[in-house]
Amino acid sequence: MKKPLISIVTVVYNNEKGIAKTIDSVISQTYPAIEYIIIDGGSTDGTVDIINGYKSGITKFISEKDSGIYDAMNKGIRNANGEIIGLINSGDHLEPGCLDAVAKAYLENPTYDVFHGLMRVYSSSEKFICIIGNDSSTLSGGMIEHAACFVKKTSYEKYGDFNLKYKISSDYEFMLRLRKQGAGFYFIEAVLANFYLGGISSRPLGTYESLEIRHNYGLISTTVKNVNRFFLKLKMMRSN
């Protein structure tokens, strides 16, 4: 059976410390049909020089200013030719054998839209914390592990891409949108990616946006949203 082309998109901006680890994890995959796209937001440190050192393993490299992480992701998705698209941000990295597992799940279950699995979590100092992996049934309470999510190209075309209204939690809105419209989620019982805390998703704005998104999708009331925002703001004030 013909192996599907898998497009991996990495978005990066000024991360000369973490980009090499991410690239190495992609180009060292044993799966043969890979397209690798890197979208750089116009880095001013040594990131671009590091990326240029991996030219032979990169299918497409775009470096230009953008409107944030999800604008860069949308750009990568539009440039992708694979049947399946995975997004692995700079600093995080794929697990060895990840793409073999994703391709196998896709070939055996082609009607599904999202293929997702377990994710290993590390602190910003690279200390192992835990392995997590939530089923799509938990989306009502929060996002599943985005670094371990792979979405069919046709599903992006059908359901749309990331909403630029949200700066940190647009991936959550995207997954809720898919679930609401009947998209299929297939859980792979294997570690697919490795994620490091301390990035953009750790900012309080992400929690604010997630509350707004849950409210917009009818998952929490206006009162619950406002009470949670109040206590979040109080917590932030006390920590300053």
Side-chain angles (χ1 to χ4, degrees), residues 179-192:
R179 191 184 69 162
K180 182 177 181 179
Q181 297 187 46
F185 289 75
Y186 185 87
F187 186 77
I188 301 170
E189 294 186 5
V191 175
L192 301 181

Side-chain angles (χ1 to χ4, degrees), residues 147-161:
C149 288
F150 297 79
V151 181
K152 291 195 301 189
K153 172 77 170 179
T154 54
S155 300
Y156 280 112
E157 294 169 348
K158 180 178 181 180
Y159 299 110
D161 51 17

Side-chain angles (χ1 to χ4, degrees), residues 29-214:
Q29 292 288 312
T30 56
Y31 186 75
I34 303 176
E35 173 186 67
Y36 191 25
I37 300 168
I38 297 181
I39 308 295
D40 174 70
S43 292
T44 56
D45 61 357
T47 298
V48 172
D49 291 334
I50 294 171
I51 294 171
N52 283 332
Y54 287 92
K55 280 185 177 180
S56 62
I58 299 170
T59 309
K60 183 173 291 187
F61 173 45
I62 298 173
S63 182
E64 59 188 18
K65 289 185 177 181
D66 53 49
S67 299
I69 188 171
Y70 293 110
D71 183 34
M73 287 182 180
N74 285 343
K75 192 182 302 181
I77 292 165
R78 289 193 296 268
N79 277 276
N81 297 302
E83 293 179 50
I84 311 166
I85 302 173
L87 302 168
I88 186 75
N89 292 341
S90 177
D92 301 330
H93 60 96
L94 297 180
E95 184 75 3
C98 164
L99 300 189
D100 292 287
V102 171
K104 181 176 184 295
Y106 169 69
L107 289 171
E108 293 176 351
N109 307 274
T111 60
Y112 285 81
D113 298 274
V114 181
F115 300 86
H116 63 112
L118 301 169
M119 184 175 76
R120 196 177 284 110
V121 180
Y122 294 87
S123 69
S124 57
S125 60
E126 303 191 358
K127 180 181 179 180
F128 171 73
I129 298 175
C130 64
I131 293 176
I132 57 175
N134 292 307
D135 183 83
S136 60
S137 62
T138 66
L139 277 168
S140 298
M143 178 59 181
I144 56 178
E145 290 64 48
H146 194 216
C149 288
F150 297 79
V151 181
K152 291 195 301 189
K153 172 77 170 179
T154 54
S155 300
Y156 280 112
E157 294 169 348
K158 180 178 181 180
Y159 299 110
D161 51 17
F162 295 108
N163 186 340
L164 300 188
K165 171 185 176 181
Y166 303 107
K167 304 303 180 184
I168 296 178
S169 299
S170 190
D171 52 346
Y172 182 39
E173 189 280 329
F174 174 74
M175 291 299 173
L176 284 177
R177 190 193 323 155
L178 264 63
R179 191 184 69 162
K180 182 177 181 179
Q181 297 187 46
F185 289 75
Y186 185 87
F187 186 77
I188 301 170
E189 294 186 5
V191 175
L192 301 181
N194 298 272
F195 174 78
Y196 292 78
L197 298 173
I200 188 173
S201 61
S202 302
R203 298 176 186 174
L205 176 60
T207 303
Y208 267 72
E209 289 184 348
S210 293
L211 288 168
E212 181 68 29
I213 291 166
R214 292 175 68 203

